[in-house]
Amino acid sequence: MIDLEATLVGIAPAFAYRDGRLHADATPLDAIADAANGPVYAYALNAIAEAYQDFADAFAGQPTRICYALKANDSVGVLKTLLAKGAGVDVVSGGELALALSAGASADKIVFSGVGKTNQELADALDAAVMQINVESEAELERLNQVAVSKGVQAPIALRVNPDVDAGTLDAISTGRATDKFGVNYGDAERLYQEAARAPGLKPMGIAMHIGSQIGDVAHSAAACAKLRTLWDRLAADGVTLRRFDVGGGLGIRYKDETPPSIQAYADTIRAAVVDIDCEVMLEPGRRIVGPAGVLIANVIGEKMAGDHRVIILDAAMNDLIRPALYKAWHEVVPLRLPDADAEWTAADIVGPICESTDKFADSRMMPPLAAGDRVAFLAAGAYGAVMASEYNGRPRTPEAVVQGQNWDFARKPRTYQDLIRGQSAPDWI
Ligand SMILES: *Cc1c(COP(=O)(O)O)cnc(C)c1O
């Protein structure tokens, strides 16, 4: 058996058993599951606000702009919680820009990132007057200049520089090695800054990086910061004066038994790199703010034996939470009802109902007895969970609930089959 209380403390401290039932804050997750009538995400908003505050506190005394990476979790309830704390937003598409603005984000706290922005997206960013556009290639620099000149404005930019360091994370979420698709080559950056400084439509404001996600050791961040700082100094000597030192996001969380760096240790690493220069530090954290604060709740449909394997079949599937199928990611799975002390735990594969063998959340997990209608929660599912959901297999998109103390509500309502059909049409010549 597994020490469930200790698992929660280590991975998802906003969640705990009260009277044998799993709660988020003071809200029983069963109440949310009853209303959703299917798989549903739940986010503990206080934990999200606290994680943001931890970042802010760790940089106290240093001018800092924390831009929450909206792609980690784009629920408007989550976003509004962070905006109320004073957060800026890191967006990676025109859609995210529109979402951030509609939630009330002020444009002068929005940074627009992304490896392939279209001219339309660049124009949208300029029209909104965002704080900064992080440019990722020479061609994009030229396009942005043209778009800005055509509008008679100057685009505030940073170059996202690829520092050529390994973030020590999974291949699929590593972004700072020379051959990864992100950013401009380190060796090209100085020349590109010189060109940007001369371009009529561009105003170099900062330098940026983002070396990857789920970073588990600040040594990688330190190495990347050092390279960025070297470049900063060279540019200053060349007469290109910058204001902002944007270190991206990527700080890891615990999913299983990792010991990710504290926010303070991460902050100290960054502060050490800029202690003697006059700059505003920019951060783009996503996972660390929302990951631990979210769970995916699922209902048990039943069990079967596949050969000699115990198989638990859930009503949640890879369309609701794709990380295990996509990255072989680990999520702890805990029952919503605390099992009896003498319950017999056995190893089980945990699967969803989709017609793909990759629709499997876990292999050989020790699980208590579960009957049809019992419920489980996937821990640390607040980041890159609901945002990656799809409607594969005719499964309406996963609803999302937000919790604060005893209050909860849907931030994305359960969808109906009508929602699946809406927006589709066939030409009448079929
Ligand atoms: C994804 C992303 C982030 C956030 O990464 P996390 O690992 O969620 O902190 C920040 N900046 C950029 C440019 C990104 O693409």
Side-chain angles (χ1 to χ4, degrees), residues 55 67-73 90-92 111-115 134 136 160 173 175 182 208-215 246-252 266 283-291 383-384:
F55 274 101
C67 293
Y68 165 63
L70 186 54
K71 78 175 193 286
N73 182 322
D90 172 45
V91 304
V92 293
V111 54
F112 198 130
S113 304
V115 76
N134 287 357
E136 296 216 15
R160 174 169 172 184
I173 52 177
T175 58
F182 299 95
M209 68 175 189
H210 172 68
I211 59 172
S213 203
Q214 187 57 7
I215 297 169
D246 180 350
V247 298
L251 187 58
Y266 175 71
L283 310 171
E284 302 162 0
R287 188 190 308 270
R288 186 64 177 249
I289 289 184
V290 291
Y384 307 105

Side-chain angles (χ1 to χ4, degrees), residues 8-15 42-44 47-48 51 214 251-255 260 263 286-295 331 378-383:
L8 290 168
V9 168
I11 294 175
F15 300 84
Y43 309 126
I48 289 171
Q214 187 57 7
L251 187 58
I253 63 172
R254 177 179 296 173
Y255 286 100
I263 289 172
R287 188 190 308 270
R288 186 64 177 249
I289 289 184
V290 291
V295 295
H331 285 274
F378 291 84
L379 304 184

